[in-house]
Amino acid sequence: MNVSRRQALQLLGATAGFGVAGALGLGNGSPLRAATSSSKSRDLELAYLSASEQLKLFRQKKLSPVEVLQAQLRLTDQRRELINCFTFLHPEQALEQARVSERRWMQGSPRALEGITVSLKDENARKGWIVTAGSKLFKNRVMTSDDAVVVKLLGAGAVLHAQTTVPEMYFLGVTWSDLWGVTRNPWNPQYAVGGSSGGSGAALASGLTTLAMGSDMGGSIRIPAAFNGLWGLKPPYARVPGDSSYAPLLPSGLGPLARTLPDMIHLENVISGPAPGVINSLRPKLDLPLSYPAVKGMRIAYSPDQGWARISTNVRRNTEAALEVLRRQGAVVEQVDLRLGVNGDEIRVALLEALLSGVMGADMADLLAGRDQLTSYGRHFADLASKGMGPEQARHAAQVAAKLYDAVDSQVFQRGYQALIMPTISTSEVPADLDPFRDKLLVDGVEVNPMTGWVLTPLWNLLNWNPVLAAPTGLDPSNMPTGIQIAAPTYEDATCIRVGMALAKGMPQLYTGTRFPTLQDS
């Protein structure tokens, strides 16, 4: 018979001996050998263990970081071609890191993420690694130093084993590029993984990593979280240290992705806080707790469509089910009519003005020297940066951001609501290879703007001082995850996490029981 995930974890927790073979009773002569699942199933059990579960078992010397990494690498061999979520793998370096972590656990000197695998986005620099930004123009660009977050991860004992795919220059809500091809969703491979941190989302959903890095300048953490059934945080500006040369890029920031909310908090607590030589890193460091007060009595606002978006029936249904979970726990959840004064297209235009009228626009314009090697969307945004962006556009973006903040603050937070919930995307049924310059997109049979008519995230990049938590809300009939975003007042990170904890406790979670991508059995 097969051993279920729960049974395997019970065995892991009950059996002594360092290493999974001893913990599962799979050693030579074990009477359980014939009764257990195949080696492939054992790899799945290990690959999908949460960071919290792993750390507990490492501490008890019932599991080794080497065994988890090896299981994830074997699973990667099976799934990499179909999902296509990695640019480069670094198994030898990672195995050496895992062995160091194993020794530290044996010696009783573990660090915060000792032995936990973390995938880096094809944006995070590690010395000696190639970072392509999804572009043929950078296919051989070798990094000469480590990013601040990479230094933090290495210092915390994380095992960095892989780099994840992105759309070219991070400018698309789905993940495909001429350099790396199409990244597909483990829940339903015909659909998208989101972008730009799409490879990170897919790697988590398919069990190929325990934690993953993301970044968000238009929804790039929250969109993949929704498509893949994950938890993700867009921290407020400068909570996580970035690249000092991009410090003026106010709508952008780095953040964590994970399959469980506690895991996401673990990663955020490692990567946040000041870093040497980084201008835009807040002091003092904020450490988010793992437990929160109940939401009973909290006033929470709900905007079903941000005042402009067409939301699919499936997304709306799952969103309202999540709201009911909060109401059953005593929260007061009320629908608000957000009068933003602008629609989705106008928000998108203002965000592009904010992004492309400064340092990033100059970098994008430089790419035109290699125009013939750019994707359709890469050429579009490089052209836009070179021809249509300047101080007038920067001023307009600032004016729109101020107008939007005034609307949200006056209608939500100044009226006593402690958080604001809205869908992240209007539909999860977006083709994996969607090209907005070629394809149409329908939401419940109605055509929407294929670039931005299905994402409700850019608002919070123009208002990047507000923390926003992405939370999963279940599956739709196509076996695709859906998700919401929970916004809190500026720099009140713990408030949106508090609401997320209530959801995690009150509704069925993905990646538990039988709620795994069907690839698990393929």
Side-chain angles (χ1 to χ4, degrees):
M1 66 177 181
N2 287 335
V3 175
S4 71
R5 184 171 189 271
R6 175 174 292 183
Q7 290 170 322
L9 293 178
Q10 289 172 343
L11 288 167
L12 279 167
T15 311
F18 197 94
V20 71
L24 286 173
L26 300 177
N28 291 333
S30 167
L32 289 178
R33 175 179 289 275
T36 58
S37 56
S38 66
S39 59
K40 179 178 177 181
S41 296
R42 293 197 303 274
D43 283 349
L44 285 167
E45 300 286 354
L46 292 177
Y48 277 107
L49 280 176
S50 71
S52 301
E53 292 169 326
Q54 289 180 40
L55 291 171
K56 177 181 177 181
L57 294 169
F58 295 161
R59 187 174 300 110
Q60 295 172 345
K61 298 182 176 60
K62 294 176 180 177
L63 182 65
S64 163
V66 174
E67 293 165 307
V68 176
L69 173 63
Q70 289 174 332
Q72 290 176 337
L73 290 174
R74 286 191 293 267
L75 197 59
T76 297
D77 286 341
Q78 301 166 24
R79 297 181 167 186
R80 187 179 185 186
E81 185 174 346
L82 175 60
I83 302 304
N84 189 34
C85 60
F86 290 145
T87 59
F88 297 102
L89 286 170
H90 305 276
E92 294 174 358
Q93 274 183 285
L95 281 168
E96 180 55 35
Q97 288 179 276
R99 293 186 187 104
V100 170
S101 291
E102 182 181 78
R103 289 195 293 271
R104 291 184 71 108
W105 280 109
M106 291 296 289
Q107 295 164 1
S109 59
R111 296 161 289 183
L113 288 179
E114 195 68 69
I116 301 298
T117 57
V118 181
S119 291
L120 296 183
K121 186 175 179 178
D122 187 17
E123 174 182 6
N124 310 128
R126 186 176 185 190
K127 187 176 181 179
W129 288 12
I130 295 173
V131 173
T132 72
S135 179
K136 290 181 176 180
L137 296 176
F138 301 122
K139 64 183 180 181
N140 297 314
R141 182 177 60 170
V142 178
M143 299 294 101
T144 58
S145 62
D146 293 333
D147 279 349
V149 291
V150 172
V151 173
K152 285 175 175 285
L153 288 168
L154 292 171
V159 174
L160 308 183
H161 66 307
Q163 294 166 269
T164 58
T165 52
V166 297
E168 186 171 42
M169 301 307 296
Y170 322 110
F171 268 97
L172 205 60
V174 300
T175 296
W176 64 264
S177 68
D178 292 342
L179 177 60
W180 297 111
V182 179
T183 301
R184 297 187 176 277
N185 198 299
W187 292 93
N188 188 330
Q190 79 181 83
Y191 292 128
V193 294
S196 63
S197 308
S200 291
L204 285 164
S206 51
L208 309 186
T209 190
T210 303
L211 301 172
M213 282 297 303
S215 64
D216 199 313
M217 68 180 186
S220 294
I221 289 171
R222 292 161 288 149
I223 297 170
F227 273 112
N228 294 282
L230 306 171
W231 297 87
L233 181 66
K234 182 202 74 65
Y237 175 74
R239 180 74 74 203
V240 176
D243 182 342
S244 289
S245 63
Y246 272 73
L249 194 65
L250 297 179
S252 182
L254 304 173
L257 282 159
R259 288 185 293 266
T260 73
L261 183 52
D263 280 9
M264 191 210 77
I265 294 171
H266 278 305
L267 181 53
E268 171 65 10
N269 283 344
V270 166
I271 62 176
S272 66
V278 179
I279 302 171
N280 53 331
S281 55
L282 288 171
R283 299 174 186 272
K285 174 178 168 59
L286 174 69
D287 281 315
L288 292 167
L290 290 171
S291 61
Y292 293 81
V295 294
K296 184 176 182 179
M298 279 191 77
R299 294 189 65 215
I300 299 172
Y302 162 53
S303 171
D305 55 13
Q306 213 172 93
W308 63 267
R310 181 175 184 83
I311 307 299
S312 73
T313 300
N314 296 326
V315 168
R316 191 179 294 269
R317 181 188 301 116
N318 286 2
T319 300
E320 291 174 352
L323 299 178
E324 282 305 308
V325 168
L326 297 175
R327 291 189 179 106
R328 287 197 297 270
Q329 295 182 56
V332 179
V333 183
E334 298 174 334
Q335 184 170 324
V336 295
D337 180 17
L338 281 185
R339 297 179 297 279
L340 298 178
V342 294
N343 61 30
D345 286 339
E346 291 168 318
I347 293 173
R348 168 184 173 263
V349 167
L351 178 59
L352 286 174
E353 289 174 332
L355 292 171
L356 296 177
S357 59
V359 58
M360 189 167 198
D363 287 347
M364 288 298 295
D366 288 345
L367 301 184
L368 289 175
R371 178 185 178 86
D372 60 331
Q373 296 187 65
L374 297 176
T375 57
S376 58
Y377 59 91
R379 288 191 298 273
H380 170 81
F381 290 113
D383 284 336
L384 186 62
S386 66
K387 298 175 183 177
M389 295 295 164
E392 291 185 10
Q393 285 72 33
R395 178 173 61 188
H396 178 256
Q399 291 170 339
V400 172
K403 179 180 180 179
L404 289 170
Y405 182 75
D406 180 67
V408 170
D409 191 49
S410 62
Q411 296 174 56
V412 178
F413 301 125
Q414 288 190 33
R415 291 178 58 192
Y417 294 108
Q418 294 163 269
L420 170 61
I421 291 176
M422 59 183 64
T424 305
I425 53 179
S426 68
T427 178
S428 295
E429 296 172 11
V430 176
D433 60 351
L434 175 75
D435 185 339
F437 299 99
R438 176 195 66 201
D439 303 325
K440 294 182 179 180
L441 182 67
L442 303 180
V443 175
D444 284 356
V446 177
E447 187 174 343
V448 300
N449 184 326
M451 178 69 77
T452 57
W454 50 278
V455 292
L456 290 85
T457 51
L459 167 68
W460 300 111
N461 295 93
L462 285 172
L463 306 184
N464 200 24
W465 300 266
N466 294 84
V468 186
L469 175 69
T473 56
L475 298 172
D476 73 6
S478 295
N479 201 49
M480 280 294 293
T482 58
I484 56 174
Q485 46 186 342
I486 306 164
T490 55
Y491 292 102
E492 291 190 16
D493 307 40
T495 298
C496 54
I497 304 294
R498 178 184 174 189
V499 177
M501 279 293 183
L503 284 173
K505 291 176 181 178
M507 64 189 302
Q509 293 297 291
L510 302 179
Y511 305 102
T512 61
T514 60
R515 306 186 86 198
F516 287 81
T518 53
L519 281 173
Q520 183 180 2
D521 300 318
S522 65

